[in-house]
Amino acid sequence: MAAALQELLSEHSSKGPPPIVCPGHTRPLAEVSFSPETPDGYFLVSACLDGQPMLRDATTGDWIGTFAGHKGAVWSAKLCSEARLCATGSGDFSAKVWDAVTGNCLATLDHRHVVKCVDFSSDRRLLATVGKEGAARVFDVEAGLGASGPERLFGARDDADGRKVTVNKCAWTEAGLLVCGAADGKVSVLDPRVDGDDPIAIIDVGKDAVMDLELTNGALGPTLTVCSGEQVHLVDAVRWTSTKKVIDCPVHFREEGGASLRADGKEIVVGGGRHGGGGPGAPGGGGGGGG
């Protein structure tokens, strides 16, 4: 690891300031997430397989604190829009909500299986969790987390063998819709504001699992970026029925990886497993036109 870090720093030595390096974790990272801009600046939270999610100053990289309490790997960590609350999802079959100022655990939300992703709505009123129990849970933050269980339970479905389909990722749209990407290659769009738990749209991106998704609103308009198999799908995040573009990638997303679309829509950065590589964690990356 030290050699790889030195190589990274050497590559940037002639190109300007080196990247900020944030040591502290002892196992691979599962997710990193920036907060929106707040009166106190930007913050960064990291989810790690060492079970110790960390909060940092996103400008300097300085460590602020560790949210200690999970008994398993932490797969997801997100800050609310004001960076005052942090939610984490873990392999210990729970999600936790933390006071991001004091570090105190405010609620432990028990699940029936591993929690793979968490996300706050933009108004921080709702918290969504998804994972290996095969459903999306939506908790009402304002009503008191855990006081009466999940507010709503959405989208549980079985595969051909009768097992629950794992939901790997979730994200809220600005309009209050919940988008969920599952291991069967389907993306479900849910509306918690209406009665019933049927999706308002389902996007099928193929037979491979959805491993990452991101919502953006830039030059291409509202766009959902979906990573699955060896492709990135750019989906119209208004109509939900049309794919703007499918990009074949130099890496695969079968075990890990993700992508992010630049605001001008002209480039996309991807990272995942190397074709023909040595298994999980094989590095890879590339870019391609998104417009």
Side-chain angles (χ1 to χ4, degrees):
M1 181 173 179
L5 178 58
Q6 185 58 49
E7 180 181 353
L8 176 64
L9 296 175
S10 298
E11 287 179 357
H12 286 80
S13 61
S14 60
K15 303 177 183 178
I20 296 173
V21 178
C22 304
H25 287 297
T26 59
R27 294 195 64 198
L29 293 179
E31 186 177 86
V32 292
S33 177
F34 282 104
S35 74
E37 184 178 10
T38 76
D40 298 313
Y42 293 96
F43 298 91
L44 175 69
V45 64
S46 53
C48 183
L49 303 191
D50 63 9
Q52 302 292 315
M54 294 185 181
L55 180 67
R56 299 179 183 274
D57 183 310
T59 302
T60 64
D62 290 342
W63 175 85
I64 295 174
T66 300
F67 300 110
H70 279 296
K71 298 178 181 178
V74 174
W75 290 99
S76 182
K78 298 280 175 53
L79 293 162
C80 75
S81 56
E82 299 173 350
R84 293 186 175 276
L85 295 177
C86 178
T88 53
S90 172
D92 64 7
F93 291 23
S94 79
K96 291 181 181 288
V97 178
W98 311 81
D99 185 320
V101 178
T102 67
N104 293 331
C105 181
L106 301 177
T108 297
L109 308 172
D110 293 327
H111 289 62
R112 293 190 294 272
H113 216 311
V114 174
V115 181
K116 295 299 295 288
C117 190
V118 298
D119 197 33
F120 285 103
S121 58
S122 59
D123 60 5
R124 87 166 192 177
R125 188 177 66 84
L126 300 176
L127 171 67
T129 67
V130 298
K132 289 194 173 183
E133 66 181 7
R137 292 175 178 250
V138 176
F139 297 86
D140 191 328
V141 178
E142 300 297 328
L145 284 162
S148 58
E151 181 188 71
R152 298 283 294 277
L153 187 66
F154 290 92
R157 62 178 183 271
D158 298 335
D159 62 16
D161 298 321
R163 295 173 297 193
K164 297 299 181 186
V165 177
T166 297
V167 184
N168 289 318
K169 291 291 181 179
C170 66
W172 291 97
T173 71
E174 294 179 0
L177 303 176
L178 180 63
V179 184
C180 301
D184 60 359
K186 293 181 173 59
V187 177
S188 300
V189 184
L190 306 167
D191 190 347
R193 300 164 298 185
V194 301
D195 293 333
D197 62 356
D198 292 333
I200 64 171
I202 296 179
I203 302 103
D204 192 341
V205 296
K207 62 182 178 62
D208 292 303
V210 174
M211 296 303 293
D212 190 44
L213 52 81
E214 177 190 62
L215 285 157
T216 54
N217 190 1
L220 298 183
T223 301
L224 175 69
T225 302
V226 182
C227 298
S228 176
E230 299 176 3
Q231 295 179 324
V232 171
H233 298 251
L234 302 182
V235 178
D236 186 324
V238 175
R239 293 189 292 269
W240 303 108
T241 56
S242 60
T243 299
K244 298 179 179 181
K245 190 165 187 175
V246 178
I247 303 170
D248 293 321
C249 297
V251 297
H252 68 77
F253 309 107
R254 294 190 183 92
E255 295 161 336
E256 68 282 309
S260 186
L261 178 66
R262 205 167 76 180
D264 62 8
K266 294 182 178 180
E267 289 188 343
I268 187 167
V269 60
V270 301
R274 184 192 303 114
H275 290 304

